[in-house]
Amino acid sequence: MKLFRTVAGILLIAALSKGLWDIGWTAAYEWHRPYVSDNVLFIAMGRAIVNGLTPYVDLFENKPPGMFVIAAVSLYFFDSSILGRLLQILAIVLIPVCTLFGGFFLNTNKQQPRERYLFLSWSFLFGVMLAVITSKWAGGFYPESFGILFSLLYVMWFLRMRHRTVTWKMQLLGGLCIAFALGFKEVFLLCFLAIALLLSLNRKEFLQKFCIPLIFALLIGTMLLLVFGYLWPYLTTYIPYLLLWHGDMMSLLNPEKTPLWQTGFPTLSLGKHLLHIAFPLPFFLLFLCIAALFHGFASKEGRRSFRVSALVLAMYLATMSGQMAGGKPHHLAVMFPFFFALFLLVSQSSLWQSAWLKPVMTFFLCAIVFLQNNQFAQADFIEERQRISLAEEVAAQIDFIMDSCDIDRYLRLIVTPIPELAFIHHSPLPTGLISTRDYNNMAIPPLNKMLSQALLDASIVLATPGFDVHGHVHRYLQEHFTLTPWPCAQHLFHLPGHLSLLFRNDRGA
């Protein structure tokens, strides 16, 4: 036994050292990471706010306004995304801090110092695992990373209130955690519900720590949207799009798609994504689920059915929260605050006294931290840097032409691998952030209406040489626009081969 404790202690110290290295490496990577994906759209929305435009009506993007506001503040004060980058790093670095404090708040039933240190080590290693996954899947200025932080803060708050009087001020604090997470992505609501079902000891605790804080969160969110002037567009434009036409939510109307309720069941793709992080990871999460169910079945006779039902429903809702938006890695990251709550539940259960729990948990967490993949492909990094450099040149040329011709906004009809939106100072017309496939799907009423008006308002169009849109949009461009520049734009400009600037026929300057 003494030999085992010595080996386990050395293993934990090595894993903790590796975890600290991983956190430092992840922070350094986030500082230098190029923004070339959906994060560019959030920066463009921030620029639109700085330009005095209103999200969802003046420029449409299918996310709540949290990321837009951060980008806008960063652009307003620094004319770059540096503040968003710093906040992204802070959010990831704080993840293991949150899990460590979450473990500390539940550390009271560990009588021996050795047991307390072991549990705190587990909590920190779990946080390191979450931080690396968050960076890999939802770093680089993505909303899920911020939502994960506020979800973990909610878990900390939930546990901290367990042996305290839950006053309305404390419920307001819990509501703030929920409100801020939902302000980055609404699907976190399912994750909060799953966490509350998992951790609540009774119906009263569920009411006090989820239902009432949720009401506070909705009030806070409504007030903030009202103050920023986004409430009406959010309710009348964004929410209908989100519920009726966005992504897998179209399954509510389209019977050919997978029914929404089926997204609550685990899939092979979820396991494959987890395997890419660390081979033991999916097996560890499966172990937590089985151990939690075992703990539920071991409850007293009167509470057994309630606990098992709550556990199964919580697991279902957590899985749905990660897969209902499409099941991509950054979507799946929404699930991980729930898994931390599940880890705490298993660690604090009667299973703690079992001879097998401590070595199994130690083995899994150390193995994951030792094996987790936090590297990136150097070739991809270099390629993304080259795309950034070209994007800056394209943005500068477009801005110069727009200023020379006294045009404030342009129509953007492209999906380009060059993220010029991150650097251009002029905002596109309302549909400028929407992909080509959406332009070609004119069955979506809000986009159809926005695009029809944008075609009438546009004087300059950024498009592909072949006008990669079909139907009346393609015909309208052929009839009313030309590649011949206006006199004000007849200076030399060299756009990449996949981009073209079109000028309205009936305008000369």
Side-chain angles (χ1 to χ4, degrees):
M1 181 61 70
K2 185 176 181 180
L3 177 62
F4 170 77
R5 289 177 178 174
T6 302
V7 172
I10 295 173
L11 188 64
L12 277 172
I13 292 174
L16 290 170
S17 301
K18 170 66 162 48
L20 290 172
W21 167 263
D22 285 346
I23 294 298
W25 172 267
T26 299
Y29 173 59
E30 289 294 337
W31 177 251
H32 295 93
R33 186 175 191 169
Y35 290 172
V36 294
S37 189
D38 287 355
N39 37 36
V40 173
L41 305 181
F42 310 142
I43 296 172
M45 285 297 297
R47 176 65 68 184
I49 293 174
V50 172
N51 290 341
L53 304 179
T54 302
Y56 311 123
V57 288
D58 293 329
L59 187 59
F60 186 84
E61 167 58 13
N62 56 4
K63 293 292 184 296
M67 297 299 291
F68 313 155
V69 172
I70 290 179
V73 173
S74 183
L75 291 169
Y76 181 82
F77 286 104
F78 303 102
D79 197 28
S80 74
S81 59
I82 186 171
L83 178 61
R85 191 178 292 274
L86 289 171
L87 291 177
Q88 172 75 92
I89 295 171
L90 181 63
I92 291 176
V93 170
L94 284 178
I95 287 175
V97 176
C98 287
T99 60
L100 182 62
F101 274 94
F104 177 79
F105 293 151
L106 279 184
N107 209 16
T108 55
N109 68 337
K110 307 295 184 292
Q111 301 301 322
Q112 299 297 323
R114 185 183 295 108
E115 291 184 341
R116 292 199 292 270
Y117 295 145
L118 176 63
F119 182 54
L120 289 176
S121 298
W122 287 356
S123 301
F124 181 76
L125 291 177
F126 200 101
V128 170
M129 178 188 76
L130 286 188
V132 171
I133 295 174
T134 299
S135 177
K136 292 286 287 186
W137 287 2
F141 202 52
Y142 266 59
E144 289 83 1
S145 54
F146 296 94
I148 287 171
L149 175 62
F150 286 108
S151 300
L152 292 174
L153 290 173
Y154 174 78
V155 174
M156 290 172 55
W157 169 85
F158 198 106
L159 299 174
R160 187 62 171 168
M161 291 297 103
R162 175 143 291 171
H163 303 293
R164 291 169 173 249
T165 302
V166 185
T167 64
W168 71 267
K169 293 181 180 180
M170 292 296 100
Q171 290 171 327
L172 177 61
L173 184 61
L176 283 170
C177 295
I178 297 176
F180 286 136
L182 299 187
F184 289 100
K185 201 160 189 179
E186 296 89 352
V187 76
F188 275 101
L189 178 60
L190 292 178
C191 185
F192 282 114
L193 176 56
I195 291 171
L197 286 170
L198 188 72
L199 296 180
S200 296
L201 299 177
N202 48 54
R203 294 181 180 87
K204 180 181 178 181
E205 186 173 25
F206 180 80
L207 176 66
Q208 289 182 332
K209 295 185 180 179
F210 175 73
C211 297
I212 297 178
L214 177 60
I215 294 174
F216 277 121
L218 295 176
L219 292 174
I220 293 168
T222 301
M223 291 177 60
L224 288 175
L225 288 171
L226 190 61
V227 168
F228 283 111
Y230 305 157
L231 181 60
W232 185 247
Y234 182 86
L235 294 177
T236 60
T237 302
Y238 171 65
I239 291 297
Y241 174 86
L242 184 70
L243 295 178
L244 298 177
W245 296 290
H246 174 56
D248 280 0
M249 297 298 286
M250 286 185 68
S251 59
L252 295 173
L253 299 179
N254 188 347
E256 296 180 0
K257 287 206 168 192
T258 302
L260 183 61
W261 64 270
Q262 290 186 14
T263 60
F265 297 109
T267 63
L268 289 177
S269 63
L270 173 58
K272 290 179 180 178
H273 286 306
L274 294 173
L275 285 173
H276 285 310
I277 299 295
F279 177 77
L281 181 56
F283 303 100
F284 175 54
L285 299 181
L286 180 61
F287 160 75
L288 290 179
C289 293
I290 294 174
L293 290 172
F294 181 82
H295 169 65
F297 280 113
S299 301
K300 295 180 180 179
E301 185 66 31
R303 293 176 46 82
R304 185 178 304 163
S305 59
F306 171 78
R307 290 304 304 158
V308 172
S309 300
L311 281 168
V312 172
L313 179 58
M315 293 175 187
Y316 172 84
L317 291 171
T319 306
M320 177 179 282
S321 71
Q323 296 188 148
M324 69 182 301
K328 295 179 180 179
H330 62 281
H331 301 143
L332 298 175
V334 174
M335 302 169 56
F336 279 89
F338 168 79
F339 282 114
F340 176 61
L342 190 65
F343 157 76
L344 293 177
L345 177 71
V346 172
S347 301
Q348 291 299 307
S349 69
S350 57
L351 299 175
W352 176 264
Q353 303 302 327
S354 303
W356 52 268
L357 179 66
K358 296 171 187 176
V360 170
M361 194 78 80
T362 301
F363 167 78
F364 267 124
L365 287 169
C366 290
I368 290 170
V369 170
F370 283 131
L371 297 175
Q372 63 188 0
N373 176 21
N374 65 343
Q375 304 299 310
F376 61 92
Q378 185 67 24
D380 293 341
F381 192 88
I382 295 174
E383 180 184 350
E384 290 168 351
R385 279 293 178 191
Q386 292 173 344
R387 289 163 59 189
I388 290 290
S389 178
L390 183 57
E392 292 176 323
E393 296 179 10
V394 170
Q397 293 186 59
I398 295 175
D399 276 331
F400 184 79
I401 292 171
M402 300 283 288
D403 290 336
S404 298
C405 297
D406 195 25
I407 299 295
D408 184 43
R409 301 180 68 183
Y410 63 102
L411 179 58
R412 185 177 184 271
L413 291 174
I414 60 171
V415 177
T416 173
I418 298 178
E420 87 290 342
L421 282 169
F423 306 100
I424 194 167
H425 285 72
H426 291 80
S427 295
L429 288 163
T431 55
L433 309 185
I434 299 171
S435 67
T436 299
R437 66 177 182 275
D438 290 324
Y439 284 126
N440 290 335
N441 184 3
M442 300 311 295
I444 301 178
L447 304 187
N448 189 0
K449 183 178 179 180
M450 287 181 182
L451 180 56
S452 298
Q453 185 60 48
L455 285 169
L456 297 175
D457 295 339
S459 297
I460 293 179
V461 177
L462 182 64
T464 58
F467 311 157
D468 189 19
V469 285
H470 64 244
H472 78 274
V473 178
H474 187 276
R475 291 192 298 272
Y476 188 90
L477 293 178
Q478 286 186 316
E479 293 172 3
H480 297 278
F481 288 85
T482 177
L483 288 169
T484 303
W486 299 329
C488 61
Q490 284 183 347
H491 54 79
L492 296 178
F493 57 90
H494 304 282
L495 295 180
H498 68 284
L499 295 179
S500 294
L501 274 181
L502 310 181
F503 300 84
R504 187 172 284 275
N505 285 329
D506 57 0
R507 150 90 192 244

